[in-house]
Amino acid sequence: PDYKSDKERCIFFLKTYSCGDESGRRKYEDMLVDISNRKRESLEIDLADLEEFCLTIEGYENFPEIVQSNARRYASIFAEAADDIMPRRIFGVSDEDDSFDVLMRQRDQIGVEINENINVSPELPDVLRRRFRVYFKPGTKIAVRTVRSIRAADIGHLVTFTV
């Protein structure tokens, strides 16, 4: 699989998907703004939205099925895509920085001082800086299964079950 082009597909979806109503609201861009402003902690990708979007674009037709068959991997790809296009935080939206914000700012300041003397990158991986999780909301086409019917072959796939 070409995960680099799939990441570009994810970025394109997150940036350009707009709701079908007349408002033309960009649902996922709004979610990213809320995440950056600490109003939201999850990015919920509705697979029905993804299917609707992919039907309108040539070359994307089988993308929703690929995402469902390797949901764990594509959750991380969507997270990386969201990191790449995450808008800057609007200061003043939340009253105070939390301890994580303070530590990250101090780490960045120390990193600048260290980099002046030594050419070493003190960057934390994006997965540790990330302040959100990606979830997939199943579409209507996914069959609901019982827990006992889930097998080893389903590992990594998106599965909807009842208890």
Side-chain angles (χ1 to χ4, degrees):
D2 185 11
Y3 293 126
K4 192 169 192 97
S5 68
D6 287 347
K7 181 178 174 183
E8 293 302 318
R9 288 179 179 184
C10 295
I11 289 172
F12 185 65
F13 170 73
L14 292 172
K15 285 173 98 174
T16 60
Y17 178 81
S18 59
C19 295
D21 59 5
E22 295 174 6
S23 68
R25 184 176 66 94
R26 299 216 187 262
K27 178 179 179 180
Y28 296 102
E29 277 189 338
D30 293 347
M31 280 188 198
L32 291 175
V33 168
D34 288 346
I35 289 169
S36 71
N37 292 330
R38 311 294 194 266
K39 292 180 181 177
R40 185 180 189 101
E41 294 179 354
S42 64
L43 176 62
E44 298 166 0
I45 309 294
D46 191 339
L47 291 177
D49 293 343
L50 186 63
E51 288 173 9
E52 173 190 327
F53 180 78
C54 290
L55 287 176
T56 62
I57 298 174
E58 188 174 330
Y60 281 48
E61 294 86 11
N62 63 345
F63 189 59
E65 290 81 28
I66 294 170
V67 170
Q68 290 177 26
S69 67
N70 197 356
R72 183 173 172 95
R73 176 71 177 137
Y74 280 91
S76 66
I77 292 173
F78 268 101
E80 291 170 13
D83 286 337
D84 288 353
I85 62 172
M86 184 71 66
R88 283 219 170 276
R89 180 175 176 207
I90 300 170
F91 290 99
V93 171
S94 63
D95 294 335
E96 297 179 13
D97 287 345
D98 61 4
S99 58
F100 183 79
D101 292 327
V102 172
L103 288 171
M104 294 312 301
R105 191 173 324 111
Q106 288 176 346
R107 184 175 176 84
D108 289 341
Q109 290 171 350
I110 290 170
V112 169
E113 293 170 7
I114 290 174
N115 279 340
E116 290 175 356
N117 300 327
I118 303 170
N119 193 10
V120 176
S121 176
E123 282 282 322
L124 278 177
D126 288 336
V127 76
L128 295 177
R129 288 181 172 265
R130 196 169 292 143
R131 309 252 334 200
F132 65 95
R133 295 182 145 255
V134 175
Y135 298 106
F136 291 118
K137 183 178 176 186
T140 56
K141 295 180 182 177
I142 296 178
V144 178
R145 299 166 56 182
T146 62
V147 174
R148 290 188 177 264
S149 69
I150 298 172
R151 301 288 174 228
D154 296 322
I155 292 177
H157 293 229
L158 185 65
V159 179
T160 304
F161 62 91
T162 58
V163 186

